[in-house]
Amino acid sequence: MTPARVYQHPETSEIAMPKVLFALSEPLRLNMVRMLVERGEVDSIELGPELPRSTLTHHTSLLRESGIVFVRAEGRKCMIRLREDDLEARFPGLIQTVLNGYPAPVDDVDDVDDVDDVDDEEGA
Amino acid sequence: MTPARVYQHPETSEIAMPKVLFALSEPLRLNMVRMLVERGEVDSIELGPELPRSTLTHHTSLLRESGIVFVRAEGRKCMIRLREDDLEARFPGLIQTVLNGYPAPVDDVDDVDDVDDVDDEEGA
DNA sequence: CTGATCGTTCGAAAAATCTCGCACGAAGAT
DNA sequence: ATCTTCGTGCGAGATTTTTCGAACGATCAG
């Protein structure tokens, strides 16, 4: 099992607030982060099934390089998950605070799984 | 006393998370926000004494248009303050969470008192 | 009034970012 | 082996952002 593709990740201490905020400042990436919070580790393609592959790689790379997500290769595909512990250690409450202030797009209604590992509700 | 310059501000409900995050994603502007939290309302020039005026206007305008600050003309100069209540109502805890994760530059030593509380009276 | 200072706007130039087609190597299926 | 699918890197083009000088009106001191 030699990992074919190796991904570079910043150390926890290297994660910088401006880079993280910039990564989160795009609705596309912010929705990706929300999905990661809700679903845990996901196949990269789930983050943007209708995006061109090179575009998707661009956004996932940016999320990875800013320290928001951890990426690992599994066979052909790559699995992506939020660096929850690292982010929580470095910027406590940030992700939750941001997501609370950014309503999920209503057009996404296909997640009917019992996903209540995330805490509490969103108002309005 | 007709206000010479009038500034457009987004309604509280119009303040959008992506725009706010983008505005905060630049160290320059993030430091401005920190100063606003610490000092309350300040003369715009205090936010960047060494910046060209047009550059300063650019950044303060961006902060204003994203809903982060309130700007008012007073004589020749313009006074800027954080929209604390509006931001807190819309994105509870966001500003504090972000600033907590972004250490102040040690370069700046003219900081008077230690920053322990921020929700206090700081009026001029 | 004159002169100085301030913030804004315009314009242009530079830098960064975003999008996406294409070719390539790696991995799985047959 | 071949064929297909996947992610990545490259390159180009488009869009956005950043910077800052110059000109202008407004304000204040004299």
Side-chain angles (χ1 to χ4, degrees), chain A residues 19-69:
Chain A
K19 285 181 185 292
V20 169
L21 295 182
F22 180 78
L24 298 176
S25 72
E26 183 126 346
L28 193 57
R29 292 190 291 259
L30 197 41
N31 283 321
M32 291 178 176
V33 170
R34 180 204 312 289
M35 184 177 293
L36 290 170
V37 169
E38 291 174 356
R39 302 194 189 178
E41 194 177 46
V42 304
D43 187 339
S44 70
I45 207 169
E46 290 188 60
L47 296 177
E50 52 213 40
L51 289 176
R53 293 292 142 78
S54 51
T55 301
L56 183 58
T57 298
H58 172 253
H59 289 292
T60 56
S61 296
L62 202 150
L63 286 172
R64 171 178 52 83
E65 289 162 10
S66 66
I68 295 179
V69 303

Side-chain angles (χ1 to χ4, degrees), chain B residues 4 22 26 28-29 52 54-55 58-59 62 75-76:
Chain B
F22 179 79
E26 183 126 347
L28 193 59
R29 291 189 292 259
S54 51
T55 301
H58 172 254
H59 288 292
L62 202 150
R76 284 178 293 188

